[in-house]
Amino acid sequence: MITAGIDAGNQTVKAVILKDGAILGHSIAFVGADTEASAQQALDEALKMAGLSRDEVGKVFSTGAGRKLVSFVAGNATETTCDARGAVWLLPATRTVIDVGAEEGRAVRCDAQGKVTDFSVNEKCGAGSGTFTEAMARALEVSLEDFGQMSLGSQQNIQMNAQCVVFAESEVVSLIHAQTPKEDIARAVHDAIADRITSLTHMVGMEKEVALIGGVARNPGFVDALRRSLGCDISVPDDPQIVGALGAALMAAG
Amino acid sequence: MATEEYWRWTESRWTAPDKDWSKAEIVSAGVDVGSVSTQAVIMVDGELYAYSSRRTGSNSPESAQRALDWALDGTGLKLDDIRFTVGTGYGRVNVPFANKTITEIACHARGANYMYGPTVRTILDMGGQDCKAIRCDERGKVSAFLMNDKCAAGTGRGMEVIAGLLAVQVTEVGELSLQVDREPPPVSSTCVVFAKNEATGLLREGWPKSRVLAAYCAAMAQRVATLLRRLGVEEDFAITGGIAKNIGVVKRIEDDLGIKALTPDFDTQIAGGLGAALFARDLAVKARQAA
């Protein structure tokens, strides 16, 4: 059986093609003005990678903030459900999934079957999502890739006072003016967001093993900060951004 | 510095036309160093004599000095003529010439009591980087307050971000936001950054700037009205701070709460500095009695 999952996030759409327990294709596309068109594009690219045509795919399920804006699917499931399902499928020992995306942060506790037992979400405040690191990288005038790496070279532990993205931008500018090394600012930013994600995780009660997924999981500065903040090791799958879409493809398979 | 400074508001200065400080017993001053603006207020025997309101620079002591110098400008008064000075606001510990510091909550209530009269019981101070709801008695003494200083939603900085996005002067946002036939639903995002994304989407859908601003002003009003309800609103009600000059936000707060805000005779941004100057006078009198 071949199924597909589409995760229509706030910034990117992810698609995964699944056949009998193997990922045949996956893709990531930026969300344009039209979510449906972006979802179609992501699916087409994943099909191309899998070397399949649309007719060969059975059910397609959607998830993500824009899951109801995708009309060509057989069904949809919440991000929480799909995150747990996808993470446990990839890393079976996972009992807590942390998903940090462009505009949301989520902690999900689940059982050995990948069924959700508890969860907690922040979607109101940009300071607990990728928006925060993106804005701070911009304030430092470095690419998001460099920003994460830079953080690992920090020699000194400093603390951010501001919580809000808007206020933190001004604080970062002040730190630059005060000649604070960029590495130390980068680490302070990652520590700040990691602390917020840790609070969110403790709200659901953390159980090991812990998996980190979502776009921000690609940022080594954040991964390092979260390990220190949680005080335990965390696993990051190879393609952390597509785990939600994988979960949707698994849901489509039944 | 950005070439388009949509955040720029009008700095102001004022002197009482009919007062003579040279015959006064006590000249007192209050300086409110806020995150965005700094005010210096000079009082002569407990009566408002002069004030200035300017943008806060990157250096707080310098900003305080600049505001005071401008308030003194043309009056003939010198720093030495001021008996007592109280510093308040976010940067209050950085007022080099202050004799004492007092919190901005206490100063705002005291200042509003002078500006709006003793019937004021609830004050909403909408500042550059925070928002406070304050309850006080007939002497301007604080009985309770709630404050948001963690999040830019509901603050002047939040409004600056949206004004910048729409390329509208922040001082024109209020009027423009009222130029709609029908109120649109408020912007649904709380976070300023998300609200900015949402506003971008609305513009892309073809909304005129006025309608987007109406939706944002309504969201801001909703947010501060929630803060006020948590505290409990007792009339009379007054709004101070920079956003009190934004008719689009003020009108929507009034509509949301179903009450009117008192109309000020003074620049709404001076409440904190004015309260500080009143406390400074009290302290000068006390010091003289002790001597």
Side-chain angles (χ1 to χ4, degrees):
Chain A
M1 181 173 43
I2 302 176
T3 61
I6 293 172
D7 178 2
N10 289 301
Q11 199 177 74
T12 53
V13 182
K14 285 75 69 176
V16 167
I17 313 286
L18 191 71
K19 183 188 180 187
D20 305 328
I23 297 173
L24 295 186
H26 58 86
S27 71
I28 300 173
F30 275 99
V31 181
D34 182 351
T35 303
E36 171 118 348
S38 308
Q40 187 65 61
Q41 187 200 336
L43 182 62
D44 289 346
E45 275 175 38
L47 285 167
K48 205 159 115 193
M49 180 175 168
L52 294 170
S53 68
R54 180 71 178 83
D55 309 335
E56 294 170 85
V57 180
K59 271 190 195 166
V60 182
F61 264 50
S62 65
T63 185
R67 68 181 186 275
K68 288 176 181 162
L69 300 173
V70 186
S71 65
F72 59 82
V73 293
N76 68 72
T78 65
E79 299 94 299
T80 306
T81 304
C82 293
D83 279 356
R85 190 75 189 270
V88 171
W89 190 83
L90 280 174
L91 305 162
T94 300
R95 293 295 173 273
T96 307
V97 186
I98 299 173
D99 177 3
V100 187
E103 293 195 3
E104 292 187 14
R106 186 178 300 107
V108 185
R109 210 146 52 86
C110 58
D111 63 18
Q113 281 72 48
K115 221 169 151 276
V116 176
T117 52
D118 199 1
F119 72 97
S120 173
V121 182
N122 161 42
E123 52 188 359
K124 292 249 179 285
C125 171
S129 70
T131 294
F132 189 71
T133 44
E134 268 181 45
M136 298 313 123
R138 210 161 38 230
L140 272 178
E141 296 176 326
V142 297
S143 72
L144 198 51
E145 286 71 28
D146 291 346
F147 186 56
Q149 204 60 46
M150 189 179 271
S151 175
L152 302 175
S154 165
Q155 302 289 322
Q156 198 191 171
N157 207 350
I158 56 166
Q159 273 227 317
M160 299 271 299
N161 295 312
Q163 190 171 321
C164 174
V165 178
V166 176
F167 297 163
E169 266 171 346
S170 316
E171 190 173 347
V172 165
V173 172
S174 309
L175 287 169
I176 296 168
H177 287 160
Q179 321 264 309
T180 312
K182 284 189 173 186
E183 290 78 9
D184 297 341
I185 300 175
R187 174 168 159 150
V189 166
H190 291 117
D191 281 347
I193 172 170
D195 283 348
R196 279 188 285 277
I197 298 297
T198 295
S199 307
L200 196 71
T201 307
H202 287 318
M203 277 166 72
V204 298
M206 185 178 72
E207 197 185 326
K208 288 178 191 172
E209 302 290 320
V210 181
L212 175 64
I213 63 170
V216 185
R218 289 169 48 201
N219 175 331
F222 173 68
V223 176
D224 175 61
L226 189 62
R227 277 201 181 107
R228 280 185 280 108
S229 178
L230 286 173
C232 71
D233 198 26
I234 47 182
S235 310
V236 182
D238 288 338
D239 292 302
Q241 262 180 300
I242 64 161
V243 179
L246 169 64
L250 288 163
M251 295 299 289
Chain B
M1 173 121 358
T3 44
E4 290 113 0
E5 297 175 327
Y6 297 110
W7 49 262
R8 197 172 280 287
W9 40 273
T10 324
E11 297 188 329
S12 68
R13 123 156 260 300
W14 175 89
T15 311
D18 48 1
K19 280 198 180 66
D20 180 6
W21 62 267
S22 61
K23 297 192 182 71
E25 285 189 44
I26 293 173
V27 178
S28 67
V31 180
D32 179 1
V33 185
S35 53
V36 171
S37 71
T38 297
Q39 287 79 32
V41 176
I42 296 162
M43 297 196 97
V44 163
D45 291 333
E47 300 258 329
L48 183 59
Y49 175 67
Y51 66 74
S52 76
S53 176
R54 325 190 66 159
R55 184 114 188 150
T56 303
S58 56
N59 179 319
S60 296
E62 232 172 72
S63 300
Q65 189 68 56
R66 269 169 19 105
L68 186 75
D69 289 346
W70 201 29
L72 294 173
D73 194 25
T75 62
L77 268 168
K78 304 239 168 339
L79 184 59
D80 289 347
D81 298 318
I82 300 170
R83 188 77 61 84
F84 210 96
T85 302
V86 166
T88 189
Y90 166 85
R92 61 181 174 271
V93 294
N94 290 315
V95 182
F97 45 87
N99 304 91
K100 190 181 163 64
T101 61
I102 295 179
T103 69
E104 62 261 41
I105 306 282
C107 289
H108 267 281
R110 185 78 191 272
N113 174 270
Y114 182 97
M115 284 166 71
Y116 299 88
T119 58
V120 171
R121 289 293 170 279
T122 310
I123 302 143
L124 175 67
D125 175 50
M126 298 186 73
Q129 288 200 11
D130 68 15
C131 180
K132 317 172 193 76
I134 307 168
R135 293 269 300 267
C136 67
D137 67 13
E138 72 286 352
R139 288 160 305 152
K141 198 164 173 293
V142 177
S143 53
F145 75 93
L146 283 174
M147 169 161 169
N148 160 41
D149 61 355
K150 294 262 178 283
C151 167
T155 71
R157 278 290 290 128
M159 190 56 93
E160 285 177 10
V161 168
I162 301 299
L165 172 74
L166 296 182
V168 172
Q169 289 299 135
V170 78
T171 47
E172 287 160 19
V173 163
E175 284 294 346
L176 192 55
S177 80
L178 294 176
Q179 290 168 23
V180 287
D181 302 334
R182 204 160 36 86
E183 276 290 293
V187 165
S188 65
S189 308
T190 304
C191 175
V192 171
V193 181
F194 296 167
K196 193 177 160 191
N197 296 347
E198 197 177 328
T200 307
L202 295 174
L203 287 173
R204 209 159 45 199
E205 278 175 37
W207 283 35
K209 285 181 184 182
S210 56
R211 193 150 192 254
V212 176
L213 288 174
Y216 187 73
C217 288
M220 194 177 212
Q222 214 173 46
R223 185 165 166 86
V224 296
T226 307
L227 190 76
L228 282 162
R229 281 202 190 88
R230 265 170 56 208
L231 181 75
V233 182
E234 189 188 337
E235 291 186 81
D236 290 344
F237 169 57
I239 309 179
T240 62
I243 305 275
K245 297 174 186 173
N246 181 320
I247 182 73
V249 175
V250 170
K251 210 184 154 309
R252 289 178 176 93
I253 294 170
E254 290 178 333
D255 289 349
D256 196 308
L257 296 173
I259 59 171
K260 287 273 171 214
L262 294 177
T263 316
D265 291 329
F266 306 94
D267 185 325
T268 55
Q269 284 180 274
I270 67 164
L274 181 55
L278 285 162
F279 280 122
R281 175 185 147 76
D282 292 353
L283 290 161
V285 169
K286 210 180 274 175
R288 194 171 56 178
Q289 282 165 352

